[in-house]
Amino acid sequence: MTIQEKITQLKQQKRAVILAHIYQRPEIQDIADFVGDSLDLSQKAASATADIIVFCGVDFMAETAKILSPTKKVLIPDLAATCPMAKMITVEALRKLKAQHPGAAVVCYVNTNADIKAESDICCTSRNAVSIVNSLAEQQIIFVPDKSLGAYVAGQVPEKKFIFWEGYCPTHHRILPDYIMSLKKLHPKAITTAHPECTSAVLALADFIGSTGAIQAYVHRSADKEFIIATEEGILYTLQKSDPEKIFYHATELAVCPNMKKNTLEKVLAVLENENNEIFVEENIAAKARISIQRMLGV
Ligand code: 13P
Ligand code: SF4
């Protein structure tokens, strides 16, 4: 049996579902039951009927799945697949910020650990961040931890005052404006799409800004044929699969998230076999974090 056949067989035997983020390796995207962006994946986790969720992504995503589906066993192929941006803020720092701005609403990016979500009023993803901020009555917003996404949202909601945190995605910050300008010169007909985790200098060069799922949907419905893609390289496979006749130019080969790539097919098989690498979230933190995630899903 091939490794893919073994995974499929075990998945059926154990009533497991495999959820994969768009940045996962091609062979993982191919074996997954569902591939999507952070928002899609949290919605799938919330409605999952399987007994086991194998979450192919990074730790905060698996944690979010566990918070939304506490009775399910949530497994991650590699426990070392973590997000450096999520680690850039601590609960102590967030509490201090809240004390300094008592009237402000706290919006946390989904790229945070459960304790930060528990300290926040509402969660957001890169797909819904603008709608989430618009849904709040408060005029002051503490936005953590991604200063790039925060600046993008602030530009879309100029009437509100934002307090940012100095977090950022190292992978997206490796994409430089010069790379985009050179590609634009080489491919003048190409449309530039960018993820809002990119710097504002890169976003200023983009024709379309959106989450990974929003970029995929935009490319799919576009009549254009060539696209410059300013986000992590895993999306190129997703795009080629959904729109094989279109041409994609990756902004830079440096935009590869080493954490997203830690999951492999062998590790997916191993967690299905051994049911190890289970994700647990302390219930008192999970209960508070659930409120901020469910509030987001309700918007
Ligand atoms: P989205 O899938 O929501 O666009 O997020 C990108 C990301 O960086 C996940 O780590
Ligand atoms: Fe974190 Fe950036 Fe990797 Fe996403 S791409 S998991 S934000 S480091």
Side-chain angles (χ1 to χ4, degrees), residues 177-190 192 226-230 248-252:
D178 281 358
Y179 304 155
I180 309 288
M181 309 250 263
S182 308
L183 282 169
K184 277 177 178 273
K185 269 193 203 126
L186 278 172
H187 311 286
K189 284 192 189 144
T192 301
E226 292 175 68
F227 300 86
I228 295 165
I229 308 293
F248 304 104
Y249 309 108
H250 193 204
T252 167

Side-chain angles (χ1 to χ4, degrees), residues 102-117:
V106 180
V107 180
C108 71
Y109 191 20
V110 70
N111 296 38
T112 45
N113 291 117
D115 54 353
I116 298 292
K117 291 187 177 81

Side-chain angles (χ1 to χ4, degrees), residues 21-23 36-39 41 58 60-61 83 85 109-111 125-127 169 172 195-197 210-214 231-232 257 260:
H21 188 265
I22 287 174
Y23 295 159
D37 70 9
S38 309
L39 182 63
L41 293 169
V58 290
F60 73 80
M61 296 179 171
C83 172
M85 187 209 303
Y109 191 20
V110 70
N111 296 38
T125 74
S126 54
R127 178 125 64 94
C169 165
H172 283 85
H195 194 280
E197 286 177 16
S211 72
T212 55
T231 187
E232 206 273 346
C257 175
M260 284 284 182

Side-chain angles (χ1 to χ4, degrees), residues 15 20 22 26 35 40 55 68-69 80 83 85 87 95 100 107 111 115 150 202 221 240 247 252 256 258 267 293:
R15 285 186 32 83
I22 287 174
V35 180
D40 293 327
F55 206 110
L68 290 170
S69 274
C83 172
M85 187 209 303
K87 292 182 191 156
R95 285 190 184 140
Q100 285 164 354
V107 180
N111 296 38
D115 54 353
V202 167
R221 63 173 186 265
Q240 276 149 6
I247 302 167
T252 167
V256 177
K267 292 176 192 173
I293 303 167

Side-chain angles (χ1 to χ4, degrees), residues 5-264:
E5 285 165 346
K6 284 184 197 161
I7 290 172
T8 307
Q9 193 184 60
L10 268 175
K11 212 174 62 171
Q12 281 160 0
Q13 270 170 18
K14 298 197 173 189
R15 285 186 32 83
V17 67
I18 300 179
L19 303 182
H21 188 265
I22 287 174
Y23 295 159
Q24 292 293 289
R25 295 170 183 275
E27 59 276 20
I28 291 192
Q29 294 195 31
D30 284 344
I31 198 75
D33 295 287
F34 182 78
V35 180
D37 70 9
S38 309
L39 182 63
D40 293 327
L41 293 169
S42 62
Q43 285 164 335
K44 284 281 167 201
S47 62
T49 52
D51 296 333
I52 297 176
I53 299 173
V54 177
F55 206 110
C56 300
V58 290
D59 61 347
F60 73 80
M61 296 179 171
E63 253 186 20
T64 305
K66 180 67 184 176
I67 292 164
L68 290 170
S69 274
T71 57
K72 310 246 173 341
K73 200 176 245 192
V74 178
L75 310 175
I76 187 162
D78 191 325
L79 281 171
T82 60
C83 172
M85 187 209 303
K87 292 182 191 156
M88 289 179 189
I89 186 158
T90 62
V91 176
E92 292 68 36
L94 180 53
R95 285 190 184 140
K96 214 167 143 188
L97 215 52
K98 283 168 73 171
Q100 285 164 354
H101 305 280
V106 180
V107 180
C108 71
Y109 191 20
V110 70
N111 296 38
T112 45
N113 291 117
D115 54 353
I116 298 292
K117 291 187 177 81
E119 254 331 290
S120 303
D121 295 301
I122 191 163
C123 184
C124 74
T125 74
S126 54
R127 178 125 64 94
N128 61 18
V130 173
S131 321
I132 295 295
V133 168
N134 275 324
S135 75
L136 300 170
E138 288 87 347
Q139 288 306 302
Q140 264 205 339
I141 309 291
I142 296 174
F143 193 96
V144 296
D146 188 357
K147 64 176 177 186
S148 300
L149 175 63
Y152 167 71
V153 176
Q156 304 294 306
V157 192
E159 63 280 12
K160 300 210 181 196
K161 182 176 178 289
F162 285 75
I163 298 115
F164 301 117
W165 186 253
E166 286 293 310
Y168 66 96
C169 165
T171 298
H172 283 85
H173 276 219
R174 283 196 282 273
I175 303 173
L176 303 180
D178 281 358
Y179 304 155
I180 309 288
M181 309 250 263
S182 308
L183 282 169
K184 277 177 178 273
K185 269 193 203 126
L186 278 172
H187 311 286
K189 284 192 189 144
I191 298 296
T192 301
T193 66
H195 194 280
E197 286 177 16
C198 293
T199 62
S200 53
V202 167
L203 295 184
L205 299 170
D207 301 298
F208 177 80
I209 299 168
S211 72
T212 55
I215 292 175
Q216 186 189 7
Y218 173 82
V219 164
H220 192 63
R221 63 173 186 265
S222 170
D224 289 289
K225 293 280 171 255
E226 292 175 68
F227 300 86
I228 295 165
I229 308 293
T231 187
E232 206 273 346
E233 70 96 36
I235 196 173
L236 294 176
Y237 181 71
T238 327
L239 295 174
Q240 276 149 6
K241 218 171 152 177
S242 59
D243 287 277
E245 77 293 353
K246 295 182 179 171
I247 302 167
F248 304 104
Y249 309 108
H250 193 204
T252 167
E253 59 188 19
L254 300 174
V256 177
C257 175
N259 285 286
M260 284 284 182
K261 305 306 185 211
K262 283 186 178 147
N263 299 317
T264 61

